[in-house]
Amino acid sequence: MKTLQDFLEDLGSRESSGNYKAVNKYGYIGKYQMGEMALIDCGYYKKTKNYNNDWSGEFLGKDGIYSVQDFLNTPIAQENAIRIFMKRLWKYLKAFGAHKYLGQIINGYKITASGLLAGAHLKGTGSVISYLSSNGKCISKDGFGTSIESYIKKFANYDVTEIIN
């Protein structure tokens, strides 16, 4: 089985071709294309309204990060942030009962923890729950047309025990 490190490397490769300095047209930043809400969840950033990835809030200095540029120039902070974020996503997924779907087959794809984490990274916990609770009928896509189902399939069967325990 592929490891957590494999999962993160493959996710980073899919999100940005592994480019720590990547910024997309929607304002998502870094290797893992993280937005304001993700970095708020990880304790790197603070903003009180209009979560639109314009980065008009305040970086809090965690891991020495005080700006978007600091984040883009600090691979270790990005690696720390994605691990924190994945743990947070799993808490959200579990709170909404996503773990009860593990092992089930939806639209021909086995539901795994790593697939759910990747889907939540792409479109958020709510979209994963909608997908699961609709038995795969509600398949949301990101701004580039990538479906949540494609991430659930592509990122299935990685050992993410470190994240989900």
Side-chain angles (χ1 to χ4, degrees), residues 92-165:
Y92 296 153
L93 287 165
K94 199 168 179 188
F96 285 101
H99 62 293
K100 295 175 185 172
Y101 291 86
L102 293 175
Q104 292 186 23
I105 306 296
I106 296 180
N107 292 341
Y109 307 120
K110 184 177 180 183
I111 303 303
T112 69
S114 56
L116 294 178
L117 286 167
H121 179 72
L122 179 72
K123 280 296 295 170
T125 304
S127 292
V128 170
I129 299 305
S130 293
Y131 175 81
L132 295 171
S133 64
S134 72
N135 199 33
K137 290 178 180 63
C138 183
I139 304 174
S140 60
K141 296 180 179 180
D142 72 0
F144 296 105
T146 305
S147 77
I148 197 167
E149 187 172 72
S150 72
Y151 264 45
I152 288 171
K153 176 187 174 188
K154 179 175 181 57
F155 292 99
N157 295 316
Y158 290 79
D159 180 359
V160 293
T161 306
E162 178 183 326
I163 298 298
I164 67 173
N165 283 343

Side-chain angles (χ1 to χ4, degrees), residues 31-158:
K31 178 179 178 179
Y32 301 102
Q33 294 294 278
M34 298 179 84
E36 288 178 328
M37 291 295 290
L39 290 185
I40 288 168
D41 270 354
C42 297
Y44 285 83
Y45 187 72
K46 180 181 176 184
K47 191 172 182 182
T48 55
K49 60 182 179 176
N50 299 325
Y51 307 106
N52 56 8
N53 297 333
D54 68 0
W55 303 101
S56 61
E58 174 188 4
F59 281 86
L60 302 173
K62 186 173 187 170
D63 286 337
I65 306 303
Y66 293 95
S67 67
V68 168
Q69 210 54 47
D70 286 347
F71 191 74
L72 294 174
N73 290 328
T74 313
I76 191 67
Q78 293 183 43
E79 296 299 333
N80 290 343
I82 194 64
R83 286 173 180 268
I84 293 165
F85 188 54
M86 287 293 147
K87 287 178 182 180
R88 183 65 60 124
L89 285 177
W90 186 251
K91 280 185 182 179
Y92 296 153
L93 287 165
K94 199 168 179 188
F96 285 101
H99 62 293
K100 295 175 185 172
Y101 291 86
L102 293 175
Q104 292 186 23
I105 306 296
I106 296 180
N107 292 341
Y109 307 120
K110 184 177 180 183
I111 303 303
T112 69
S114 56
L116 294 178
L117 286 167
H121 179 72
L122 179 72
K123 280 296 295 170
T125 304
S127 292
V128 170
I129 299 305
S130 293
Y131 175 81
L132 295 171
S133 64
S134 72
N135 199 33
K137 290 178 180 63
C138 183
I139 304 174
S140 60
K141 296 180 179 180
D142 72 0
F144 296 105
T146 305
S147 77
I148 197 167
E149 187 172 72
S150 72
Y151 264 45
I152 288 171
K153 176 187 174 188
K154 179 175 181 57
F155 292 99
N157 295 316
Y158 290 79

